[in-house]
Amino acid sequence: MCGRFTLTITFEELVKRYAIEDQGTPFHRPRYNVSPMQQVPAIINDGSKNRLGELRWGLIPSWAKDDKFAGKTINARGETLLEKPSFKNLVYRKRCIIPADSFFEWINVEGQKRPIRFLKKDNSIFSMAGLYDTWINPTDGAKMNTCTIITCTPNKLVSHVHDRMPVILKKEDEQKWLQRNEVNVKDLLRLLMPFPTEEMLAYPVSTLVGNVKNEGPECIERINVTLK
């Protein structure tokens, strides 16, 4: 799964990376411990151009009676997207990208859970494949735009720690994933593959990252600990 990630670049760098034309009011600051149920930057395509905005992490299907779905849908398994009522229609019309520059997973070391940070070797930003939907609260009519991060089987590096990893799109596939007029689902599902092991690295970080209240750069500092 993917339950925590980071996005430590500035709003301006984010806009430049995804060639966003209509920037709007800056809403992002470097973040070192992004957690479910928080607002996260996301890119969608409106049919003519890419747009950058915020979605709440934890998808609520448009047809849901309440918001209790969110805690169960922070991730969506790529292999079963077309089998799940929450996701199957979104694959055709509501695909998004959630930018990140690392994600965390936990490993058990002598009875203690230790967080591991996974990132690209060049420390650059990457695009996690996602889906989004809009839910209208039946009580007050308020709209909520939410998202889920798609996962796949892990590459060799991640497999030492967890049996799932977020789908990291190749840069050349990002626009194909976003384009609304792309409806060849078989082609889209082929993009949901493990990111190459040789392009990633991992290292242990402080257990501080386990508390969502800890959001500083100390969350990504490498620590010296023996992992068996």
Side-chain angles (χ1 to χ4, degrees), residues 87-105:
F87 309 131
K88 62 181 182 180
N89 292 327
L90 304 182
V91 178
Y92 292 90
R93 56 189 178 88
K94 290 191 174 182
R95 301 180 299 273
C96 65
I97 278 174
I98 295 95
D101 49 27
S102 72
F103 63 93
F104 301 105
E105 291 295 353

Side-chain angles (χ1 to χ4, degrees), residues 36-51:
M37 307 308 142
Q38 295 180 348
Q39 295 291 113
V40 299
I43 293 91
I44 67 169
N45 187 275
D46 65 7
S48 60
K49 62 182 181 300
N50 291 345
R51 295 170 53 196

Side-chain angles (χ1 to χ4, degrees), residues 127-146:
S127 298
M128 298 187 291
L131 302 171
Y132 71 98
D133 208 350
T134 299
W135 178 71
I136 300 177
N137 191 320
T139 302
D140 58 13
K143 289 185 178 181
M144 186 178 294
N145 298 308
T146 63

Side-chain angles (χ1 to χ4, degrees), residues 16-152:
K16 182 178 180 181
R17 166 64 174 78
Y18 290 98
I20 304 298
E21 297 177 8
D22 300 328
Q23 298 181 20
T25 303
F27 60 82
H28 169 74
R29 69 184 192 286
R31 299 178 65 186
Y32 301 88
N33 191 11
V34 183
S35 306
M37 307 308 142
Q38 295 180 348
Q39 295 291 113
V40 299
I43 293 91
I44 67 169
N45 187 275
D46 65 7
S48 60
K49 62 182 181 300
N50 291 345
R51 295 170 53 196
L52 171 64
E54 287 187 293
L55 300 171
R56 198 184 79 164
W57 184 15
L59 190 135
I60 307 174
S62 60
W63 43 262
K65 294 181 179 179
D66 54 47
D67 61 359
K68 294 179 181 178
F69 262 90
K72 302 177 182 178
T73 51
I74 63 170
N75 292 153
R77 294 176 68 94
E79 301 91 331
T80 59
L81 289 179
L82 300 182
E83 300 171 17
K84 304 296 183 180
S86 299
F87 309 131
K88 62 181 182 180
N89 292 327
L90 304 182
V91 178
Y92 292 90
R93 56 189 178 88
K94 290 191 174 182
R95 301 180 299 273
C96 65
I97 278 174
I98 295 95
D101 49 27
S102 72
F103 63 93
F104 301 105
E105 291 295 353
W106 277 256
I107 188 172
N108 193 303
V109 180
E110 297 181 348
Q112 184 178 18
K113 288 187 176 181
R114 289 281 183 180
I116 308 295
R117 186 186 186 211
F118 293 90
L119 63 161
K120 292 178 66 176
K121 285 183 176 178
D122 63 4
N123 204 33
S124 65
I125 191 172
F126 53 79
S127 298
M128 298 187 291
L131 302 171
Y132 71 98
D133 208 350
T134 299
W135 178 71
I136 300 177
N137 191 320
T139 302
D140 58 13
K143 289 185 178 181
M144 186 178 294
N145 298 308
T146 63
C147 67
T148 185
I149 294 172
I150 300 173
T151 65
C152 61

Side-chain angles (χ1 to χ4, degrees), residues 106 112-115 205-211 214 223:
W106 277 256
Q112 184 178 18
K113 288 187 176 181
R114 289 281 183 180
V205 295
S206 170
T207 53
L208 287 172
V209 77
N211 188 330
N214 298 323
I223 64 169

